[in-house]
Amino acid sequence: MNLEDLYRLLRNGHIQSQGIVDTVPDPLLVLDQNLCVQSASRAFFTTFQVGRDETIGQHIYELGNGQWDIPELRRLLEEVIPKSTAVVDYEVEQDFPSIGPRTMLVSAHRLFHPDDNSRTLLLSIVDATERRQREAEKDVLLGELRHRMKNLLALVQAIARQTTAADRSGEAYRDAFMGRFNALVQAHDAAYAQEGEADLQQVLRQTLEPYSEGPTGVLVESGPAVPLGSKQIMSMSLILHELATNAIKYGALSTSAGQVRVRWTLEEASAPSVRLVWQESGAWRLSR
């Protein structure tokens, strides 16, 4: 083998090695024992939008605007790495030039050497910005879910306490409680069907629909748009359930000729308010 063949062999090996490094999707840096950059992957140049002249031969603490010059990272690279084999997923939050604020996970490994005396470091960098954002959003959602479940269970307890057992059979108590509980379920569905907000007319029609067996039962008139939050939907649905239950037992809905008309208006005062009118007609007995 002559020098030209040897050169071609070494060149092909280098190209292949660099090709393997450049195929890795995450940024990679190779640092010498002085923590200067010997080599960098294509993903590093692309991710941080820098060129070779700004990177190769530079000390890691001088890259960019000095975002890697972090005391704890210094300690890991200069003290921990020489005594151990790796540092995994060290989190760096910095405002990087050209790409803005990012959360990066840095892992450092000593390059393998048969004699275990390598002082060369391989740094892999993973952009975890979106992952951290999703985790933070998930934590917020879980916290909100816990809060909602706590409120919902407290409301079920309140319904159970408010449903009196005096002068009622077990079956009558069960029917009264389940009626209120089903109203709560419907209210919960309405509250979160549109990401926690619904219009008053939608809540009225959805809540009162089960109590109407025909066109003469319940009539919800059209009115101005009134957006309701989840807590307001819960309260409104439970109130409507109580009114409808009384109307079925004692008022307009206790007869096929009876009718309930529901309408509302907006009133301007020191604070805007809604006036809701529940009007019964055609009943044999007055509703309580």
Side-chain angles (χ1 to χ4, degrees):
M1 178 181 294
N2 56 35
L3 289 177
E4 184 177 347
D5 292 335
L6 180 60
Y7 171 77
R8 186 180 300 108
L9 181 64
L10 292 175
R11 183 175 182 277
N12 290 339
H14 172 76
I15 291 174
Q16 185 179 41
S17 299
Q18 188 64 42
I20 293 172
V21 171
D22 287 339
T23 303
V24 177
D26 296 321
L28 296 175
L29 288 177
V30 178
L31 307 180
D32 63 19
Q33 61 181 0
N34 297 317
L35 302 182
C36 292
V37 180
Q38 286 185 326
S39 181
S41 67
R42 182 176 60 176
F44 182 88
F45 298 129
T46 302
T47 298
F48 295 99
Q49 299 179 17
V50 293
R52 294 183 59 84
D53 294 340
E54 304 170 77
T55 307
I56 305 301
Q58 299 295 319
H59 198 284
I60 185 173
Y61 302 143
E62 297 174 354
L63 294 177
N65 61 358
Q67 65 267 3
W68 304 109
D69 190 4
I70 303 170
E72 178 62 16
L73 184 59
R74 272 180 175 269
R75 188 186 71 81
L76 292 172
L77 294 179
E78 297 172 10
E79 298 179 19
V80 177
I81 285 290
K83 300 176 184 178
S84 61
T85 57
V87 170
V88 179
D89 288 347
Y90 176 75
E91 188 170 303
V92 176
E93 290 187 0
Q94 292 288 342
D95 190 351
F96 292 88
S98 303
I99 63 174
R102 289 289 192 276
T103 299
M104 298 293 184
L105 300 181
V106 180
S107 297
H109 300 260
R110 280 192 296 172
L111 253 61
F112 173 77
H113 190 279
D115 298 329
D116 196 28
N117 60 0
S118 174
R119 297 296 302 275
T120 303
L121 298 183
L122 177 65
L123 257 65
S124 62
I125 304 166
V126 176
D127 189 345
T129 307
E130 293 184 3
R131 185 198 311 174
R132 288 291 186 263
Q133 290 174 345
R134 288 195 298 268
E135 290 172 353
E137 291 171 357
K138 185 186 298 183
D139 289 341
V140 172
L141 290 175
L142 288 174
E144 179 65 19
L145 179 60
R146 286 194 295 267
H147 178 71
R148 290 180 179 180
M149 289 300 298
K150 183 179 179 180
N151 288 344
L152 186 60
L153 292 173
L155 198 51
V156 172
Q157 289 179 331
I159 290 174
R161 287 194 299 268
Q162 293 169 4
T163 305
T164 59
D167 300 326
R168 281 181 173 173
S169 65
E171 183 179 358
Y173 176 85
R174 181 201 63 194
D175 292 343
F177 174 79
M178 290 305 300
R180 292 180 172 183
F181 182 79
N182 288 334
L184 176 62
V185 172
Q186 293 174 5
H188 189 269
D189 289 341
Y192 302 117
Q194 298 182 354
E195 299 184 356
E197 187 174 284
D199 188 76
L200 174 59
Q201 183 163 314
Q202 174 191 347
V203 174
L204 289 170
R205 289 180 174 172
Q206 182 171 340
T207 305
L208 295 175
E209 182 179 5
Y211 303 100
S212 179
E213 297 182 356
T216 59
V218 179
L219 175 62
V220 178
E221 299 181 358
S222 298
V226 180
L228 300 178
S230 58
K231 291 183 179 179
Q232 294 169 316
I233 294 172
M234 295 285 190
S235 300
M236 176 61 69
S237 296
L238 290 174
I239 291 170
L240 292 171
H241 167 72
E242 293 300 317
L243 289 171
T245 300
N246 285 339
I248 290 173
K249 291 181 178 180
Y250 315 109
L253 300 183
S254 64
T255 171
S256 59
Q259 185 181 64
V260 175
R261 300 177 70 92
V262 183
R263 64 182 184 275
W264 67 97
T265 57
L266 292 176
E267 296 186 350
E268 296 292 338
S270 56
S273 59
V274 178
R275 179 181 177 85
L276 184 69
V277 179
W278 176 281
Q279 185 177 23
E280 299 186 25
S281 61
W284 292 338
R285 293 172 289 179
L286 293 176
S287 65
R288 300 192 300 183

